[in-house]
Amino acid sequence: MNLGFLGLQFSFGLQQGNMGPIYSYLGANEAQLPLLQLAGPMTGLLIQPLIGAMSDRTAGRWGRRTPYFLLGALLCCIGLFTMPLSSSILMAASLLWLLDAGNNITMEPYRAYVSDRLDPAQRQFGFLSQSAFTGLAQMLAFLTPAILVGLGMNQDWVDAHHIPYTVRVVFSIGAVLSLSTIVWSIWRVPELPLSDDERAEILGRPRGFGATLMEIVDAIRTMPRAMRKLGLMSLFQWFGMSGYWTYAVYAMGRTIYHTADPQTSAFHSAVLTNGEVAAFYNAVAFLGAFGMVPLARRIGPGPLHALALVCGGLGMIALPMVQAKALLFVPAIGVGLAWGSIMGNPYTILTSSIPSARTGVYMGIFNMMIVIPMLVFALLMSRLDLGFVSIGFDVYHRALNNDPRAMLRLCGACLIVAGMAVAWVEEGRARPAPMKATVA
C-alpha cells in the first residue's frame, strides 16, 4: 500500500522543491509566488471532497477507490512529464493545475484506503507508516537533483527558458515512478470486497452529482466535534508549512549564497542546498514517524503532535539565523519531526471520531482544512494584477519587506500556535494498553 503512496508523495516533493524556482526562472517575482501556487489548494478544495464522497458511493467491479487511483496517477504522470517544458508562467501555472488535480484525485482515496484495509487497532501504525513513506518519497525527490549534479550534470546547464536540465530529468523520473508504483500497489494489494450489506447500503443511496454535493453538505453539518476542533490547529499548521515550502529556498539564497537573483549560479546552488536540507528533514520524518508509534500509544497522538509542532516552529525560526550551510541541518531536525507528525497523528485523531461509512467524504472534508489555510496564505501574502482587477493583500511586500527570512520566522510562530491549539482537541487521547504493531 505504501509503495503507491511513495510514488504519489515523490510528485508532491518535486512540486515543493521546484515550482517556486521554475516560476522564478520564467520571470515571476517572489511576491507573486503564493498566488501562482494556488492550483494545489484550489484543486484540493474542489476535488478531494467530491472524490471522497464519490468513492464512498462507488461499488463497481474495480472497487471503491481503484478507479480514482488510476485516473489520478495518469494525470499526475502527464503533468510531471510536461512541467519542465514550460515556456511561460501561464503555461507552468496551467500544467500545475493538471498536476495537482491528478495528485488530489489519488491522495484522498489513499487516505481512506488505510481505514478501509486496517482494523481500528492497526490504524495508528498504518497512518504513521504512511507518514514515514511520505518522508522517504520526498527525501528522494528533493535529493535527486543534487545526486544528478554529483554524477556530473552541470547545475547551470539550462534550456532556452532558464530551467535547468536537472529539473527535466528529475520530473521525468517522477512521472515514471508515480504511475508505476501506484499501479503496482493496486495490483499487489487489491481492495477488500464489499459485504452484501455494504453493497446494498451504497446502492441504496441517492445517485448523481446533486446527491454527492448534498452528502458533502450533510457531512459538514454533522461533523464530529473532534474534527471541528482540529480546524484551528490546521489553520496555523498549514499556513506555516505553505510559507516554509514557498520561501525557504529564497531565505537560503540570501543567508548562505548572498543572492536574490534566480538567473545566477549562486541561486542554482541555493536550490540544490534547499533540496539537501529538505531531503534531510524528510529523512528525519521517515525515521521519526516510526519512533512516534510507541510514543503515540503512551502519551496519545494529540500531545505528541503538539510537541512535534513546537519543535518544527523553533526550527523554522532558527533557520534564517544560520550563516553556514552545514549548520542548516540542525534546525531541519525540528522541521522533520513536525512533518513526520503532521502526516500521521492528525489522521489518527480524525479516524477515531468519524463513522467508517463516511471515511472518504470526511477525509476529503478534512483536506479542506488543509487547503483553506493555503488559500488564506496566498491571498494575504501576494498581490497579482490582472489588469482589470488586483487579487491579494501583498503582506509579503508591505509588512515583511520582501524578506523571506521574516517569512520563515512568521511560519515558525504559526507552527507553535498550532501546537498550542492541539490542546483544545480532547478526543483521540485515550491511553490504550501497549500492544504489538501489526500490519494487515
Side-chain angles (χ1 to χ4, degrees), residues 200-216:
E201 194 274 334
I202 291 173
L203 295 177
R205 296 182 189 180
R207 317 299 292 177
F209 184 72
T212 300
L213 288 180
M214 291 305 300
E215 170 75 7
I216 296 171

Side-chain angles (χ1 to χ4, degrees), residues 1-2 66 113 117 184-192 440:
M1 291 169 66
N2 280 325
T66 299
Y113 197 37
R117 288 284 309 197
W184 173 266
S185 178
I186 294 169
W187 179 45
R188 296 297 297 170
V189 190
E191 292 189 61
L192 296 175

Side-chain angles (χ1 to χ4, degrees), residues 104-143:
N104 280 290
I105 288 171
T106 306
M107 171 67 79
E108 187 286 328
Y110 253 112
R111 291 294 190 194
Y113 197 37
V114 172
S115 183
D116 291 346
R117 288 284 309 197
L118 302 186
D119 294 330
Q122 297 173 315
R123 289 174 189 167
Q124 185 176 86
F125 179 79
F127 282 115
L128 284 171
S129 67
Q130 195 175 72
S131 174
F133 274 80
T134 298
L136 176 61
Q138 296 194 5
M139 177 189 73
L140 296 173
F142 279 109
L143 194 58

Side-chain angles (χ1 to χ4, degrees), residues 87-411:
S87 58
S88 66
I89 294 173
L90 179 60
M91 181 177 176
S94 300
L95 288 172
L96 184 59
W97 281 84
L98 174 68
L99 176 57
D100 267 314
N103 284 334
N104 280 290
I105 288 171
T106 306
M107 171 67 79
E108 187 286 328
Y110 253 112
R111 291 294 190 194
Y113 197 37
V114 172
S115 183
D116 291 346
R117 288 284 309 197
L118 302 186
D119 294 330
Q122 297 173 315
R123 289 174 189 167
Q124 185 176 86
F125 179 79
F127 282 115
L128 284 171
S129 67
Q130 195 175 72
S131 174
F133 274 80
T134 298
L136 176 61
Q138 296 194 5
M139 177 189 73
L140 296 173
F142 279 109
L143 194 58
T144 301
I147 293 174
L148 294 174
V149 172
L151 292 175
M153 285 193 72
N154 184 353
Q155 69 177 31
D156 299 323
W157 182 27
V158 300
D159 63 16
H161 308 292
H162 310 290
I163 298 176
Y165 280 96
T166 53
V167 175
R168 187 174 298 186
V169 173
V170 74
F171 269 65
S172 297
I173 293 171
V176 174
L177 189 64
S178 63
L179 182 60
S180 62
T181 57
I182 288 171
V183 171
W184 173 266
S185 178
I186 294 169
W187 179 45
R188 296 297 297 170
V189 190
E191 292 189 61
L192 296 175
L194 294 171
S195 67
D196 292 339
D197 290 341
E198 289 173 328
R199 185 176 297 276
E201 194 274 334
I202 291 173
L203 295 177
R205 296 182 189 180
R207 317 299 292 177
F209 184 72
T212 300
L213 288 180
M214 291 305 300
E215 170 75 7
I216 296 171
V217 172
D218 183 68
I220 292 174
R221 183 179 60 83
T222 59
M223 186 185 302
R225 188 161 61 104
M227 186 174 176
R228 292 182 185 275
K229 289 184 175 183
L230 286 171
L232 181 63
M233 175 212 72
S234 293
L235 174 63
F236 288 98
Q237 171 180 283
W238 291 105
F239 188 100
M241 293 306 301
S242 295
Y244 178 84
W245 289 330
T246 303
Y247 287 103
V249 62
Y250 299 94
M252 294 176 196
R254 285 166 170 78
T255 57
I256 307 299
Y257 296 99
H258 312 292
T259 184
D261 185 354
Q263 308 304 334
T264 62
S265 179
F267 184 79
H268 294 161
S269 296
V271 173
L272 293 177
T273 295
N274 178 58
E276 293 167 4
V277 171
F280 176 76
Y281 83 65
N282 275 285
V284 172
F286 174 71
L287 297 173
F290 286 117
M292 288 178 190
V293 173
L295 282 175
R297 289 196 178 116
R298 183 175 297 274
I299 68 174
L304 178 59
H305 188 49
L307 178 62
L309 287 176
V310 171
C311 290
L314 294 175
M316 289 183 186
I317 291 170
L319 193 142
M321 305 176 189
V322 176
Q323 302 293 320
K325 175 183 174 179
L327 295 179
L328 289 172
F329 297 92
V330 177
I333 295 173
V335 179
L337 291 174
W339 183 229
S341 182
I342 285 170
M343 296 303 289
N345 283 313
Y347 294 94
T348 302
I349 299 171
L350 175 66
T351 55
S352 67
S353 67
I354 60 176
S356 59
R358 282 184 157 182
T359 298
V361 67
Y362 274 124
M363 285 293 182
I365 292 170
F366 189 62
N367 187 69
M368 295 171 65
M369 298 182 185
I370 298 173
V371 299
I372 289 175
M374 293 180 176
L375 290 172
V376 172
F377 172 81
L379 292 173
L380 283 179
M381 293 299 154
S382 283
R383 187 175 183 86
L384 196 60
D385 189 358
L386 302 178
F388 59 93
V389 66
S390 294
I391 303 174
F393 294 91
D394 204 18
V395 171
Y396 182 70
H397 170 67
R398 296 183 180 184
L400 301 180
N401 197 30
N402 294 323
D403 189 345
R405 295 163 292 190
M407 174 65 76
L408 260 59
R409 288 190 283 269
L410 173 62
C411 293

Side-chain angles (χ1 to χ4, degrees), residues 53-91:
M54 290 170 63
S55 68
D56 281 346
R57 293 165 173 265
T58 299
R61 60 176 296 189
W62 298 105
R64 302 171 75 188
R65 319 296 181 188
T66 299
Y68 306 100
F69 292 158
L70 294 174
L71 175 61
L74 182 60
L75 293 177
C76 180
C77 181
I78 295 171
L80 288 171
F81 264 125
T82 52
M83 179 62 74
L85 306 178
S86 298
S87 58
S88 66
I89 294 173
L90 179 60
M91 181 177 176

